[in-house]
Amino acid sequence: HLATMASSSSVFAHYPTLLVALAVLPYYSVASDMSQVVTLTDENFDELTSQGSWILDFYAPWCGHCRKLEPEFKKAAKRLHAMNSEVKLGKIDCTRNSKLKSRYKIKGYPTLKFSRDGSLRDYKSARTADALVKYANSVSGEAVLKMKVADVDAITNTHDVSFVFTGPKQSLDYEAFNKVARKYQGQYHFLLGDTGFTELAEPEESPAVTYLTKGGSYTHTYDLTVDGIDAFVEANKFALVSTMDGNTFSDVVDSGKLVALAVMDNTHAAETLEGNLYGPASAFKERVLITKISVSKYARYLSRYGINEDDAPTLVVVDFDNEVYWRAEPNMEEEQKIKGWLAGVVGGREPYTPLINWYNPRRYLRKLSKKMKKFSDTQIMIITTVASLIGAGMVFTCFSYLEPADDMYPRPPAGSESSDNQHPKAE
């Protein structure tokens, strides 16, 4: 209707501002009311997300789970706008924006990611309006909080992993620490320690960054470049005794270590087991990751290891790379028994059970799938093309060396006037 009006010169005589309105209309839909979810495309994505904080929804219009998420996403956007939150919500239609889909290796829908100043990481929380708002609040505000040495016990009881900077705040080292803290804000806890904490942790140098977790010894880094601190955070992202759930499952499985699942219930025996896990976790932290898992919440998953609710509390060690597991004996709750059993598992002295029989094709398909995840889409395309050409070449070579059987093209009987050229060849 506006376009029809604009075509008439008399309209512009009476409405001189119409041209201006038409000119800004395309921009209003993108840079507009942040109470709405912003539509991001291959063309505007980098410009809009290079600064600030975003929760991004990579979706496909035909996906039922995506349609279920859409109203929750809209509710969260309106609530965050009303709160003047710094976090914006954006959506990317992967059927129309193949470059973004390929760049971020989107394999399933919907895929949610958090973006901070153009750096993306997986969103690991529930997909409801309440959870989205809670997550947005956790990544807002100051990334580094001040602490006192008296707060250490309270911090380790409420946060699985913390990283503490000790040194002058007005320094390039602290600026690097703050930059890394902004990248991981909401995922890990970042603190500025006081002199009392420096005396407690006893770093060999100052400034330093210290890894802080319940039951763990103080681990430090003195490489205070952004890359150095980032690598230190990645290397120490697990608590000494962590918790396995839907948000941490992928990280635990991909840790590259043997994973000891402490299957927990609400009994006193489970509390005893939990208290005795920290010594073994510290002794075997280079090879084994100990993590708690609720038997009531994840009974179906634990059944693959032959565990039901009556077996809890108990321990099972899983080698996800080789798809085998070890079950602990019943009532193994004492610290020394746990250490002895883990030593046997790590040393290859304990018998294991395969998750999938060696002759099952799924075993090899899973291994192939894990290896293929390390390649980009372009590399996969090149590999499959080369493999196809090699396979076609081998088939062609095999057929080119085959000689026809003597009776494939029958000869005419002796004395016949027929010639080879006249005799019809068999199909």
Side-chain angles (χ1 to χ4, degrees):
H1 180 63
L2 285 175
T4 304
M5 293 173 62
S7 63
S8 172
S9 59
S10 62
V11 171
F12 294 116
H14 294 86
Y15 303 100
T17 60
L18 185 58
L19 274 176
V20 176
L22 289 171
V24 301
L25 191 58
Y27 297 95
Y28 179 77
S29 62
V30 172
S32 61
D33 180 5
M34 286 306 172
S35 66
Q36 302 298 319
V37 178
V38 181
T39 299
L40 300 170
T41 66
D42 287 337
E43 289 72 31
N44 68 13
F45 182 87
D46 290 333
E47 179 182 356
L48 293 179
T49 64
S50 61
Q51 298 293 326
S53 304
W54 293 75
I55 298 176
L56 304 172
D57 173 19
F58 292 84
Y59 75 99
W62 47 260
C63 169
H65 293 293
C66 300
R67 291 195 291 269
K68 184 178 179 180
L69 172 64
E70 185 178 8
E72 297 295 318
F73 220 60
K74 289 181 178 179
K75 288 178 189 176
K78 290 181 180 179
R79 287 171 58 181
L80 291 172
H81 177 71
M83 296 162 58
N84 294 319
S85 173
E86 65 183 73
V87 180
K88 297 176 281 292
L89 271 61
K91 61 180 181 178
I92 301 96
D93 181 352
C94 290
T95 65
R96 294 176 177 270
N97 299 281
S98 57
K99 291 181 180 178
L100 290 173
K101 176 188 174 184
S102 177
R103 187 200 300 184
Y104 295 111
K105 300 180 180 179
I106 305 301
K107 304 295 183 183
Y109 306 112
T111 294
L112 298 185
K113 291 186 178 289
F114 174 70
S115 172
R116 168 63 57 79
D117 299 335
S119 177
L120 271 65
R121 69 172 190 246
D122 291 338
Y123 167 89
K124 297 179 179 180
S125 191
R127 298 177 178 185
T128 63
D130 288 343
L132 288 162
V133 171
K134 182 178 179 180
Y135 185 89
N137 290 337
S138 73
V139 296
S140 301
E142 293 291 330
V144 180
L145 304 176
K146 292 182 179 180
M147 66 161 288
K148 297 180 180 179
V149 67
D151 302 329
V152 168
D153 288 341
I155 290 168
T156 55
N157 284 327
T158 54
H159 298 276
D160 285 345
V161 174
S162 299
F163 297 93
V164 185
F165 178 87
T166 50
K169 186 175 181 179
Q170 305 300 325
S171 65
L172 295 176
D173 296 326
Y174 179 81
E175 288 182 15
F177 180 73
N178 188 65
K179 187 171 184 178
V180 175
R182 279 182 56 79
K183 177 181 176 181
Y184 292 104
Q185 188 177 5
Q187 192 169 352
Y188 310 117
H189 200 44
F190 293 86
L191 302 165
L192 175 62
D194 61 2
T195 55
F197 181 81
T198 304
E199 294 173 0
L200 175 68
E202 297 183 334
E204 296 178 1
E205 302 175 18
S206 184
V209 173
T210 301
Y211 162 72
L212 178 63
T213 186
K214 183 177 180 179
S217 58
Y218 298 110
T219 307
H220 313 283
T221 184
Y222 309 103
D223 180 358
L224 300 186
T225 61
V226 171
D227 290 342
I229 299 171
D230 195 298
F232 182 72
V233 170
E234 278 295 312
N236 296 279
K237 61 184 178 182
F238 294 109
L240 193 61
V241 176
S242 61
T243 301
M244 189 175 190
D245 55 26
N247 297 326
T248 61
F249 181 83
S250 296
D251 287 338
V252 170
V253 170
D254 296 334
S255 65
K257 299 180 180 181
L258 298 176
V259 177
L261 300 175
V263 184
M264 311 299 284
D265 57 12
N266 295 320
T267 62
H268 177 71
E271 294 179 4
T272 302
L273 174 61
E274 181 178 356
N276 290 332
L277 291 175
Y278 291 92
S282 181
F284 293 96
K285 65 180 181 181
E286 300 300 326
R287 296 287 305 276
V288 181
L289 175 63
I290 296 183
T291 181
K292 298 175 293 182
I293 183 169
S294 169
V295 70
S296 59
K297 289 183 179 179
Y298 301 102
R300 184 177 177 183
Y301 170 74
L302 291 168
S303 66
R304 68 187 314 207
Y305 308 115
I307 296 174
N308 56 50
E309 293 196 31
D310 293 335
D311 296 319
T314 187
L315 287 166
V316 57
V317 172
V318 185
D319 183 344
F320 287 101
D321 290 336
N322 296 302
E323 297 187 319
V324 298
Y325 68 92
W326 295 260
R327 281 281 304 273
E329 296 178 358
N331 303 316
M332 186 179 289
E333 299 166 9
E334 296 180 10
E335 182 175 322
Q336 292 305 315
K337 285 186 177 180
I338 297 171
K339 284 184 177 179
W341 179 65
L342 288 178
V345 170
V346 171
R349 298 187 298 275
E350 292 287 335
Y352 61 81
T353 304
L355 279 167
I356 303 177
N357 293 325
W358 66 268
Y359 51 80
N360 192 322
R362 289 172 56 197
R363 181 184 183 93
Y364 302 99
L365 289 174
R366 285 185 181 181
K367 288 186 176 182
L368 178 62
S369 177
K370 287 180 180 179
K371 291 183 181 295
M372 293 297 281
K373 286 181 181 179
K374 299 178 181 179
F375 296 101
S376 66
D377 291 344
T378 303
Q379 289 173 321
I380 292 174
M381 183 179 67
I382 294 172
I383 291 170
T384 52
T385 302
V386 171
S388 299
L389 291 173
I390 292 174
M394 292 175 66
V395 172
F396 177 79
T397 303
C398 289
F399 277 103
S400 66
Y401 279 98
L402 290 175
E403 294 189 10
D406 291 339
D407 60 348
M408 182 175 289
Y409 304 123
R411 299 286 180 179
S416 172
E417 295 180 358
S418 299
S419 67
D420 287 345
N421 293 331
Q422 292 172 327
H423 193 85
K425 293 183 178 181
E427 282 293 314

